[in-house]
């Protein structure tokens, strides 16, 4: 052992000659009798100039080989030596010595991959990452993280306050050994009664025994040249980890008396920050988020100098509070307001003009008119996107047209038929695709329009008015008010429409689609499944049993037989009279369920297929693009052919009408009826105004990255002209449809999926702003008028399955729906959305509850059984805007509303 020590001392002397400053040095190899010193490393020096914790690696040259059975070698050097798995492996010895260079030397042979457990920092680790020559693989990942926003991110101040309330602070630490410093911090954090937590923390904070360094750290860096060079701020280091054995987070800070060298990027460390959090913790309270808070503060050199001069704990805590307030004020001054309407430069002024808005829209959109056609065929991928989106739009428009056509036909006694709805869709959609300012907006006959049509028909029945002239008069008044709104630039009021108003209305439309689907399903069950004939057939089985018993009794008691036979005759006679009236066809109802939910399941599964690992990326995207057409075709085939024995009938009457384009004669209306139509037309114009502008706002939302500008006023004028023409021939009205319009944009977009803290978000990279998809899809709808009998074979449940598909897919990206889900989500699984960082959880839930209340009021009026109550539904939609700006701010601070309710 003395020779071994002499060899190490000799190496140390040689290494000291090459030592410069505080840099790590490694000696040359030295031979000394029974050992050969291969390397020696020295890290720090203390106040006396002596080396601290030098590390030596020596190789035994002579002596007996270690035993194979794992028994420790009888000691000649007073060291514990464990044998290697194979006798052929060379013996490697590591010595860890104190600064005095004496005793306490642990000599352990380094083994192959299947080595024995070793000890580091009083924690046991399984060292299975080192080969026979001592090499290890270290995985490093460098990632930039944003500074903590002390103005908007509520957790920043709360993290500091939590530290001040539960201070774990070590001042004037004389140790320069990182293990000892971390041990002291953990003991003060966790106490001496939790050795398991301490061991887990050490295991998570450090890497393996062979390469002993911090696993996850945050440091600041500074750029030093234009070639990409940078340097670390080496005065502080923040180490962090999460462990399962604690229930709350901890933050500990140690201030060293003299700078310590902990490695290449930590050579002059004065401050060591250790952060522990539970494994299951809310995203905003994770170790990374807490680390960002303190790293943002310690990146300020002036702040660190103040902390170095703090004489005691109270002054240290006071400096922390002062820095928190300073950062909050500094970031508040540099905060920039986000634009909501368009870009901040183009935000309209609050004054109405005459035709100014239309002129600006044309000036903005006309230079891009020809590119609206070229962008759809610019490259191969654009052509594929145009084709898939055309088929998506075709099925997404024609199936609701058939469904709402059937509904309008029932509500108006076959005046507004499916054929008229298809003509309206072809004519209105084609005109808007060619002349509209925002061709991504999809026109459609919607559920609110069907409800309003039913109201007009009910009024006509109550007051004995002709429906067609009244319908035409209401439509013309509606067009007149829309023209007024357009030419006097009233669409600038939509700058007050925030995200919450838009998403409440969008969610209401999704609910309306789902309600229509389930209402039709319930009607089918009431007609075929729950009829008395189905229950009578089961009763008939019981009566047959009773008849057998009666027949057996006739051999003994004739009088009883006669009586029972008379009673049975009466029962069978009643059944015979009932049978011709109703038929039990429960197979129709069961097939209805299969087709309804089968359409939804196939469509949504294919829509999300791009998120799966199957096939290639290109094939997954194609399947997702064609999800709706594939679902409709497959389930229509199953309903019409595979289950052809189940007679579900035709979905609508496919016979064409004569004189369908005849102009409506208005001379049958009285003056009172015309003025009554004016009131109905004004309410209808509010519905058109809100629906059109909300759809346009969602299409042009900043997250969609549209490049060619908006055309709110011009689009409203085109809608007025289209519906005036439709009213003259008593065709159903059309207006911007939700959620079809945002889904149209998504179908034309290139979307990337990004992962942030384990949560996947979909980001729109680029949208192909083309008119071709709308033009081609409406050409196909027009051609479908030639094949009306074929369309009638599409089963009704497939039509309403489309309603559910649209309702489900429209929920993606709806921030209100995401916040509703947070009511039922574990806090540790909260996604890292920006508003979750900036808004206290209680305020966020209060805002969601206010939105749910507004949605409930809309549903109460929209689905009311009283037709006249539904007349005020458009007015309620308009009142969402003043409620948001006048009432909600009294409950929630404006800075929190801006975080949750902006684009």
């Amino acid at each position: 052992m003395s020779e071994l020590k002499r060899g190490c001392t000799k190496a140390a002397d040689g290494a000291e000659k090459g030592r410069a400053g505080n840099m790590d040095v490694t000696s040359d190899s030295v031979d000394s009798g029974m050992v050969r010193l291969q390397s020696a490393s020295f890290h720090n020096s203390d106040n006396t100039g002596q080396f601290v914790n030098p590390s030596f690696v020596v190789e035994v040259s002579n002596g007996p080989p270690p035993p194979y059975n794992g028994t420790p070698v009888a000691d000649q050097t007073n060291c514990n030596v464990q044998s290697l798995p194979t006798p052929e492996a060379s013996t490697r010895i590591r010595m860890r010595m104190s600064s005095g260079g004496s005793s306490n030397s642990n000599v352990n042979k380094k083994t192959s991959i299947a080595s024995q457990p070793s000890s580091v920092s009083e924690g046991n680790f399984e060292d299975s990452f080192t080969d026979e020559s001592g090499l290890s693989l270290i995985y490093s990942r460098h990632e930039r993280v944003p500074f903590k926003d002390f103005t908007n991110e509520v957790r920043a101040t709360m993290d500091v306050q939590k530290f001040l309330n539960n201070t774990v602070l070590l001042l004037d630490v004389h140790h320069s050994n990182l293990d000892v410093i971390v041990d002291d911090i953990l003991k003060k954090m966790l106490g001496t009664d939790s050795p398991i937590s301490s061991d887990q923390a050490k295991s998570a904070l450090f890497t393996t025994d062979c390469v002993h360094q911090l696993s996850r750290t945050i440091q600041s860096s500074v750029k030093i040249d234009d070639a990409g060079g940078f340097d670390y701020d080496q005065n502080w280091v923040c180490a962090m980890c999460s462990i399962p054995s604690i229930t709350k987070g901890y933050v500990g800070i140690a201030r060293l008396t003299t700078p310590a060298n902990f490695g290449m990027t930590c050579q002059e460390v004065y401050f060591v920050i250790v952060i522990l959090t539970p494994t299951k913790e809310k995203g905003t309270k994770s170790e990374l988020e807490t680390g960002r808070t303190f790293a943002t503060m310690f990146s300020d050199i002036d702040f660190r100098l103040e902390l170095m001069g703090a004489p005691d704990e109270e002054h240290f805590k006071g400096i922390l509070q002062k820095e928190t307030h300073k950062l909050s004020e500094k970031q508040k001054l540099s905060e920039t307001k986000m634009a909501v309407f368009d870009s901040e430069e183009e935000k309209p002024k609050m004054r109405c003009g005459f035709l100014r808005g239309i002129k600006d829209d044309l000036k903005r959109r006309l230079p891009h008119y020809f590119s609206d056609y070229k962008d759809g065929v610019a490259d191969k991928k654009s052509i594929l996107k145009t084709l898939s989106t055309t088929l998506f739009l075709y099925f997404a428009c024609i199936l609701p047209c058939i469904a709402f056509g059937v509904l309008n036909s029932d509500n108006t006694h076959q005046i507004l038929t499916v054929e008229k709805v298809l003509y309206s869709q072809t004519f209105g959609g084609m005109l808007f695709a060619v002349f509209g300012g925002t061709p991504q907006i999809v026109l459609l006959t919607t559920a609110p329009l069907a409800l309003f049509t039913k109201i007009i028909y009910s009024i006509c029945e109550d007051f004995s008015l002709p429906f067609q002239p009244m319908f035409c008069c209401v439509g013309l008044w509606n067009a007149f008010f829309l023209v007024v709104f357009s030419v006097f630039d009233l669409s600038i009021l939509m700058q007050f429409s925030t995200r919450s108003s838009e998403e409440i209305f969008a969610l209401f439309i999704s609910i309306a689609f789902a309600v229509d689907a389930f209402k039709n399903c319930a009607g089918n069950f009431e007609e075929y499944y729950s009829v008395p004939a189905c229950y009578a057939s089961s009763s008939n089985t019981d009566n047959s049993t009773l008849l057998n018993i009666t027949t057996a009794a006739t051999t003994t008691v004739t009088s009883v037989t006669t009586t029972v036979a008379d009673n049975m005759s009466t029962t069978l006679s009643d059944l015979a009279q009932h049978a011709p009236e109703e038929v039990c066809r429960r197979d129709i109802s069961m097939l209805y369920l299969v087709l309804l939910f089968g359409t939804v399941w196939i469509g949504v599964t294919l829509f999300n297929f791009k998120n799966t690992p199957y096939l290639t990326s290109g094939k997954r995207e194609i399947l997702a693009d064609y999800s709706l057409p594939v679902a409709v075709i497959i389930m229509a085939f199953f309903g019409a052919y595979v289950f052809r024995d189940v007679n579900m009938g035709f979905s609508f009457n496919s016979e064409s009408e004569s004189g369908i384009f005849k102009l409506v004669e208005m001379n049958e209306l009285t003056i009172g009826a015309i003025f009554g139509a004016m009131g109905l037309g004004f309410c209808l114009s509010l519905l058109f105004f809100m629906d059109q502008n909300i759809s346009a706002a969602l299409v042009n939302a900043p997250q969609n990255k549209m490049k060619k500008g908006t055309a709110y006023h011009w689009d409203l004028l085109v809608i007025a002209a289209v519906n005036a023409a439709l009213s003259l021939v008593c065709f159903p009205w059309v207006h911007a449809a939700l959620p079809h319009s945002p889904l149209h944009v998504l179908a034309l977009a290139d979307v990337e999926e990004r992962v942030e803290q384990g949560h996947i978000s979909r980001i729109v990279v680029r949208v192909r702003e083309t008119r071709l998809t709308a033009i081609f899809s409406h050409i196909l709808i027009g051609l479908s008028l030639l094949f009306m009998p074929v369309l009638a074979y599409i089963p009704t449940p497939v039509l309403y399955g489309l309603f559910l598909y649209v309702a489900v897919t429209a929920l993606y990206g709806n921030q209100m729906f995401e916040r509703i889900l947070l009511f039922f989500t574990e806090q540790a699984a909260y996604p890292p959305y920006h508003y979750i960082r900036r808004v206290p959880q209680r305020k966020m839930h209060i805002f969601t509850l206010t939105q749910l209340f507004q949605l409930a009021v809309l549903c109460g009026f929209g689905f009311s059984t009283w037709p006249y109550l539904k007349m005020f539904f458009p007015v309620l939609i308009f009142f969402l805007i003043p409620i948001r700006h006048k009432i909600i701010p009294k409950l929630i601070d404006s800075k929190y509303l801006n975080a949750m309710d902006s684009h």
Side-chain angles (χ1 to χ4, degrees):
M1 184 62 183
S2 59
E3 291 184 1
L4 179 63
K5 290 184 178 179
R6 284 197 300 272
C8 295
T9 305
K10 183 177 179 181
D13 293 336
E16 185 176 8
K17 296 177 182 179
R19 183 175 183 270
N22 205 25
M23 300 293 290
D24 292 352
V25 295
T26 303
S27 74
D28 296 327
S29 61
V30 179
D31 286 310
S32 178
M34 70 176 288
V35 298
R36 181 176 186 271
L37 179 62
Q38 288 196 340
S39 63
S41 298
F42 305 85
H43 297 288
N44 311 315
S45 63
D46 57 16
N47 322 356
T48 63
Q50 298 297 321
F51 291 120
V52 178
N53 197 23
S55 175
F56 302 87
V57 179
V58 299
E59 182 176 356
V60 177
S61 301
N62 303 316
Y68 182 71
N69 59 5
T71 305
V73 178
D75 181 49
Q76 288 184 352
T77 62
N78 199 21
C79 298
N80 293 327
V81 180
Q82 295 175 348
S83 63
L84 293 171
T86 58
E88 293 79 17
S90 62
T91 305
R92 309 283 291 170
I93 301 175
R94 166 181 281 187
M95 297 182 63
R96 301 201 58 191
M97 306 177 66
S98 65
S99 58
S102 69
S103 64
N104 294 338
S105 52
N106 254 338
V107 183
N108 293 319
K109 288 188 300 182
K110 302 312 277 178
T111 66
S112 63
I113 294 179
S115 66
Q116 300 292 331
S118 59
S119 177
V120 174
S121 303
E122 302 178 2
N124 293 325
F125 301 89
E126 185 72 17
D127 187 7
S128 59
F129 304 94
T130 309
D131 68 358
E132 296 177 353
S133 62
L135 294 177
S136 295
L137 300 178
I138 294 297
Y139 168 71
S140 299
R141 176 180 175 182
H142 299 274
E143 180 181 356
R144 294 178 63 192
V145 294
F147 285 100
K148 200 79 165 187
D149 189 343
F150 278 72
T151 300
N152 294 318
E153 297 191 53
V154 293
R155 287 301 313 179
T157 305
M158 295 173 68
D159 288 337
V160 177
Q161 192 60 44
K162 182 179 179 181
F163 170 77
L164 296 176
N165 295 336
N166 302 279
T167 305
V168 178
L169 183 61
L170 302 178
L171 298 180
D172 300 327
V173 177
H174 296 283
H175 301 292
S176 56
N177 187 315
L178 181 60
D179 294 315
V180 177
I181 296 171
V182 171
D183 281 344
D184 290 345
I185 294 176
L186 293 178
K187 286 177 183 177
K188 190 167 183 180
M189 265 188 194
L190 306 173
T192 58
D193 299 331
S194 55
I196 296 178
S197 299
S198 182
D199 288 345
Q200 288 180 349
K202 295 172 188 175
S203 176
L205 285 170
F206 291 99
T207 58
T208 61
D209 186 10
C210 181
V211 183
H212 188 52
Q213 63 183 21
L214 294 171
S215 299
R216 299 179 64 198
T217 61
I218 298 181
Q219 288 181 272
S220 57
S221 63
V222 60
K223 181 179 177 181
I224 59 177
D225 57 45
D226 294 332
F230 68 95
D231 194 10
Y232 285 97
D233 186 348
Q234 306 198 28
N235 291 137
W236 63 276
V237 63
C238 177
M240 54 193 178
C241 69
S242 61
I243 57 176
S245 58
I246 59 176
T247 58
K248 65 176 183 178
Y250 295 92
V251 178
I253 300 177
R255 186 184 70 184
L256 309 186
T257 305
T258 57
N261 182 3
F262 298 147
M264 291 296 294
T265 63
C266 306
Q267 295 180 2
E268 297 181 5
V269 175
Y270 277 98
F271 294 96
V272 178
I273 308 161
V274 176
I275 297 173
L276 303 182
T277 60
T279 302
K280 289 189 175 182
E281 184 61 281
K282 185 179 177 182
T284 54
K285 301 179 184 178
S286 66
E287 69 277 15
L288 177 60
E289 292 300 317
T290 308
R292 283 179 56 220
T293 299
F294 288 91
T296 301
M297 301 177 72
F298 276 84
S299 63
D300 185 355
I301 187 172
D302 296 329
F303 169 69
R304 296 200 304 272
L305 288 175
E306 288 189 64
L307 290 182
M308 288 297 299
D312 52 36
E313 222 177 77
E314 291 301 320
H315 285 81
F316 197 99
K317 292 160 66 174
I319 295 172
L320 279 175
Q321 284 184 318
K322 177 183 174 182
E323 181 70 10
T324 302
H325 179 72
K326 174 184 172 183
L327 284 173
S328 179
E329 293 298 322
K330 179 181 177 182
Q331 292 170 346
K332 187 182 297 183
L333 293 175
S334 61
E335 187 181 35
T336 55
K337 187 176 180 181
M338 185 180 297
V340 175
F341 187 76
D342 222 337
S343 65
E344 196 67 29
E345 299 80 12
E346 296 178 353
K347 185 174 179 179
K349 304 299 182 182
M350 262 310 299
R351 55 195 180 108
C352 296
F354 181 74
L355 296 177
R356 184 185 298 114
I358 294 177
K359 292 177 182 177
D360 292 340
D361 290 343
L362 293 176
K363 189 184 301 183
R364 189 184 303 116
R365 289 294 310 188
L366 279 178
H368 303 289
Y369 187 79
F370 291 106
S371 67
D372 288 342
Y373 294 93
K374 293 187 295 183
D375 289 349
V377 292
D379 50 56
K380 182 179 179 180
K381 188 170 184 180
S382 296
I383 294 174
L384 293 177
K385 277 286 185 181
T386 299
L387 179 60
S388 63
T389 306
T390 297
L391 291 179
F392 163 77
L393 268 189
Y394 171 71
F395 285 98
C397 291
I398 195 169
L399 297 186
C401 285
I402 295 174
F404 286 125
V406 173
L407 181 62
N408 281 331
S409 181
D410 294 339
N411 291 339
T412 61
H413 292 79
Q414 284 71 48
I415 296 178
L416 300 180
T417 60
V418 173
E419 185 180 12
K420 286 188 176 182
V421 174
L422 291 178
Y423 274 116
S424 292
Q425 184 66 39
T426 303
F427 174 76
M430 183 66 73
L431 281 182
F432 192 83
V434 175
F435 298 107
T438 312
Q440 287 72 38
I441 293 176
V442 179
L443 301 190
L444 202 65
T445 286
T446 61
L449 289 181
L451 292 176
F452 210 88
T453 301
K454 186 177 181 180
I455 293 172
I456 296 175
Y457 191 84
S458 300
I459 292 175
C460 291
E461 283 189 328
D462 293 342
F463 293 95
S464 301
L465 296 173
F467 172 73
Q468 293 188 6
M470 189 67 175
F471 182 86
C472 176
C473 191
V474 172
L476 292 177
W477 277 115
N478 168 58
F480 169 76
F481 286 117
L482 291 180
V483 171
V484 173
F485 297 158
S486 176
V487 298
F488 286 101
D489 303 340
L490 292 185
S491 287
I492 62 174
L493 295 175
M494 291 306 296
Q495 66 180 322
F496 295 110
S497 177
T498 59
R499 183 170 189 154
S500 65
S501 304
E502 298 162 3
E503 292 187 337
I504 289 172
F505 184 68
L507 201 55
F508 170 79
I509 297 299
S510 293
I511 294 174
F513 275 114
V515 167
D516 285 341
F518 289 121
K519 186 184 295 184
N520 190 269
C521 180
N524 183 275
F525 267 71
E526 186 177 351
E527 182 178 358
Y528 294 108
Y529 193 92
S530 302
V531 295
C534 294
Y535 300 104
S537 61
S538 60
S539 300
N540 190 23
T541 303
D542 298 336
N543 291 333
S544 300
T545 304
L546 182 59
L547 181 60
N548 293 334
I549 297 174
T550 304
T551 304
T554 55
T555 57
T556 55
V557 186
T558 306
S559 60
V560 175
T561 303
T562 305
T563 304
V564 174
D566 291 340
N567 292 335
M568 288 301 304
S569 300
T570 303
T571 303
L572 294 175
S573 176
D574 293 340
L575 289 175
Q577 293 177 2
H578 181 72
E581 297 177 1
E582 294 180 345
V583 178
C584 180
R585 293 298 307 275
R586 288 181 169 175
D587 54 337
I588 293 179
S589 298
M590 299 309 297
L591 180 59
Y592 191 105
L593 282 182
V594 171
L595 297 180
L596 178 70
F597 291 108
T599 304
V600 181
W601 178 75
I602 293 177
V604 174
T605 301
L606 293 180
F607 183 80
N608 293 320
F609 198 76
K610 63 180 69 174
N611 303 331
T612 67
Y614 307 114
L615 303 180
T616 62
S617 176
K619 293 176 182 177
R620 290 197 299 266
E621 186 172 357
I622 289 175
L623 285 175
D625 290 340
Y626 289 94
S627 58
L628 179 59
V630 169
V632 170
I633 291 173
I634 289 177
M635 298 314 295
F637 174 76
F638 268 82
Y641 182 77
V642 177
F643 294 98
R644 57 186 179 277
D645 294 336
V646 181
N647 183 18
M648 300 192 70
F650 296 102
S651 56
F652 64 94
N653 182 11
S654 59
E655 296 181 0
S656 299
E657 300 180 47
S658 59
I660 194 172
F661 295 103
K662 183 180 178 181
L663 294 176
V664 177
E665 297 180 1
M666 301 285 295
N667 53 7
E668 300 181 30
L669 290 180
T670 62
I671 298 298
I674 292 174
F675 280 100
M678 181 179 67
L680 291 173
F682 179 73
C683 291
L684 183 62
S685 67
L686 291 180
L687 175 62
F688 271 74
F689 179 81
M690 293 299 297
D691 207 326
Q692 179 68 33
N693 284 295
I694 288 176
S695 299
L698 290 176
V699 165
N700 292 285
Q703 60 266 26
N704 290 335
K705 298 180 174 63
M706 305 284 279
K707 302 295 184 183
K708 298 181 180 180
T710 60
Y712 289 91
H713 313 281
W714 174 254
D715 286 343
L716 205 59
L717 185 63
V718 175
I719 290 293
V722 167
N723 284 279
L726 295 176
S727 299
L728 292 175
V729 289
C730 196
F731 279 7
W733 303 306
V734 292
H735 66 126
L738 290 174
H740 295 72
S741 299
L743 289 177
H744 184 201
V745 174
L746 189 61
L748 288 168
D750 290 332
V751 180
E752 284 185 357
E753 290 186 350
R754 298 177 183 174
V755 180
E756 183 180 359
Q757 298 184 21
H759 295 271
I760 300 176
S761 59
R762 303 173 68 187
I763 306 296
V764 174
V765 178
R766 170 201 174 198
V767 175
R768 295 162 181 83
E769 301 179 48
T770 179
R771 299 177 183 270
L772 295 180
T773 53
I775 293 174
F776 292 160
S777 61
H778 285 91
I779 290 175
L780 292 177
I781 293 174
L783 294 176
S784 299
L785 287 165
L786 304 175
F787 307 100
M788 293 274 287
V790 177
L791 295 178
Y793 279 99
I794 299 177
T796 301
V798 176
L799 302 179
Y800 286 98
L802 166 75
F803 280 26
L804 288 181
Y805 168 85
V806 170
V808 171
T809 54
L811 299 178
Y812 293 98
N814 190 306
Q815 193 180 100
M816 177 183 171
F817 180 73
E818 293 169 352
R819 280 188 276 105
I820 292 174
L821 293 181
L822 294 182
F823 283 117
F824 314 101
T825 304
E826 184 183 10
Q827 288 195 7
Y830 274 23
Y833 299 138
H834 66 90
Y835 57 84
I836 292 180
R837 302 178 188 271
R838 298 184 174 188
V839 183
Q841 183 176 325
R842 182 172 58 87
K843 296 290 186 181
M844 181 174 61
H845 289 331
I846 289 175
F847 181 66
T848 306
L849 289 174
T850 60
Q851 286 185 293
L852 284 174
F853 178 76
Q854 296 173 74
L855 178 63
V857 173
L858 277 184
C859 292
F861 277 80
F863 304 132
S864 172
T865 56
W866 298 299
Y868 293 102
L869 196 60
K870 297 178 182 178
M871 292 173 54
F872 299 99
F873 172 75
V875 180
L876 288 177
I877 298 175
F878 186 80
F879 272 104
L880 292 177
I881 297 177
I883 289 173
R884 162 61 181 84
H885 290 280
K886 297 299 181 182
I887 298 179
I888 305 299
K890 297 183 182 298
L891 303 175
I892 304 171
D893 295 343
S894 296
K895 64 177 182 178
Y896 299 144
L897 289 175
N898 292 335
M900 293 184 290
D901 201 18
S902 65
H903 290 282

